Amino acid sequence: MALDEAALDTLGLSTLWVRRGGALESGSAADEGAATVAHEAAHADDPSMPSATPRREAEQNPDGAAWDEVDFAPVGSAPVRAEARPVARDDDVATLDWDALDARVSACERCRLCEKRTNTVFGVGDRAADWMLIGEAPGENEDKQGEPFVGQAGKLLDSMLRALSLARGENVYIANVVKCRPPGNRNPEPDEVAQCEPYLQRQVALLKPKLIIALGRVAAQNLLKTDASISSLRGRVHRYENVPVIVTYHPAYLLRTLPDKAKAWVDLCLAHDTYRQALTDSQAAR
Ligand code: URA
């Protein structure tokens, strides 16, 4: 795999995998524990680095969101009562092309999230991409700009892509499970996810990605229809709409939990290997 050393630097991983270890073999990164310890040691004196202490409650990240990878409900997020909204009648979503789907999402009133949004956040990137990245829901910046992952977390996501020699918009498509911002950046409610799912399913059907990366616990649990913890979902290949899925941490979480960047890199290596395998399989099937 070609490595972008600058991107690994941004991820805080170059010390571990490039300068010390030479070229990366994904298997060589298997010793997460040792890597994490080495990494923490390398930054122990750097007060600008985020605290290595895992936090057990949701809190504001630089995007103003509460993305947390621990398996607890965010503090202060009162459960939202399901409203008696009529079941959506636009059951032709599975027949729409990209532009019609985008227009349908823009006008969507399937759930209460439409009431407070500034913009819907449909998705961005190459509509013929092999790689699809799926986050949870738009935050404040995304709601303002109508594009996913535009804040600090988006910058880290771009570095993660660069480390894989990928770039936003070049063989990469980025979307969210939910297309409208949940107020206060609370987690999306199950009924909101359910109303939005046909849009994501159609995006996947149109894109036909070779690989999906689920970014964070909420995205992974909703895509894979499970309550399993992110740590138990990482390190394995799952499926969504018959596409291989790799689970990794949400970039907003990684911004404040430095040691888990090493684990995220292991996930990206698994994603890369899984992608190569999917390419080989599709060539063999021709
Ligand atoms: N977090 C997400 O999950 N999605 C975005 O678009 C932005 C932040």
Side-chain angles (χ1 to χ4, degrees):
M1 182 195 314
L3 286 173
D4 183 320
E5 204 170 326
L8 283 175
D9 232 4
T10 314
L11 279 170
L13 295 172
S14 53
T15 330
L16 289 175
W17 274 290
V18 180
R19 289 179 197 134
R20 279 188 201 159
L24 172 88
E25 291 301 323
S26 59
S28 71
D31 187 356
E32 276 173 27
T36 302
V37 170
H39 185 78
E40 278 182 62
H43 292 289
D45 301 328
D46 183 351
S48 68
M49 296 310 265
S51 159
T53 311
R55 312 207 180 169
R56 296 180 65 82
E57 75 258 12
E59 58 192 346
Q60 296 287 302
N61 69 31
D63 290 331
W67 291 285
D68 218 340
E69 303 300 89
V70 292
D71 296 305
F72 297 97
V75 168
S77 74
V80 176
R81 248 183 315 122
E83 287 161 22
R85 250 172 209 277
V87 174
R89 301 230 178 283
D90 52 344
D91 50 10
D92 60 344
V93 170
T95 67
L96 301 178
D97 67 15
W98 278 110
D99 290 341
L101 184 63
D102 193 351
R104 184 68 62 85
V105 168
S106 295
C108 181
E109 295 186 350
R110 284 173 166 233
C111 82
R112 64 186 82 75
L113 296 184
C114 67
E115 289 160 13
K116 301 230 166 104
R117 74 179 175 223
T118 311
N119 287 296
T120 52
V121 179
F122 178 67
V124 72
D126 177 355
R127 291 179 173 181
D130 284 346
W131 292 73
M132 184 173 196
L133 275 62
I134 302 181
E136 171 187 336
E140 187 179 3
N141 293 317
E142 291 76 20
D143 175 66
K144 279 189 191 136
Q145 296 183 39
E147 187 173 324
F149 287 100
V150 290
Q152 287 303 316
K155 290 203 181 93
L156 179 58
L157 185 61
D158 289 341
S159 295
M160 292 163 79
L161 288 171
R162 255 200 331 278
L164 288 168
S165 303
L166 293 168
R168 186 184 287 241
E170 291 170 28
N171 205 18
V172 174
Y173 190 87
I174 305 175
N176 283 307
V177 168
V178 163
K179 312 299 186 210
C180 297
R181 181 192 181 201
N185 297 330
R186 63 164 169 75
N187 290 342
E189 292 295 321
D191 66 310
E192 295 158 357
V193 172
Q195 292 289 2
C196 224
E197 190 173 17
Y199 301 138
L200 185 63
Q201 282 169 331
R202 186 61 186 153
Q203 284 176 304
V204 172
L206 287 166
L207 189 64
K208 299 187 192 66
K210 296 231 166 6
L211 183 85
I212 291 173
I213 299 182
L215 297 166
R217 176 181 63 85
V218 173
Q221 289 181 338
N222 282 300
L223 282 180
L224 304 175
K225 311 258 183 293
T226 176
D227 289 334
S229 67
I230 188 152
S231 48
S232 69
L233 295 172
R234 291 183 50 247
R236 294 186 283 137
V237 182
H238 307 269
R239 298 240 151 211
Y240 178 77
E241 302 285 306
N242 212 28
V243 179
V245 177
I246 300 298
V247 172
T248 193
Y249 293 107
H250 195 286
Y253 165 81
L254 292 173
L255 281 174
R256 59 171 201 276
T257 314
L258 188 63
D260 283 347
K261 282 186 177 179
K263 295 185 190 172
W265 178 239
V266 175
D267 299 336
L268 296 183
C269 291
L270 175 61
H272 181 269
D273 291 349
T274 307
Y275 171 66
R276 301 298 314 173
Q277 187 58 52
L279 269 188
T280 308
D281 293 347
S282 69
Q283 277 155 10
R286 272 194 218 140

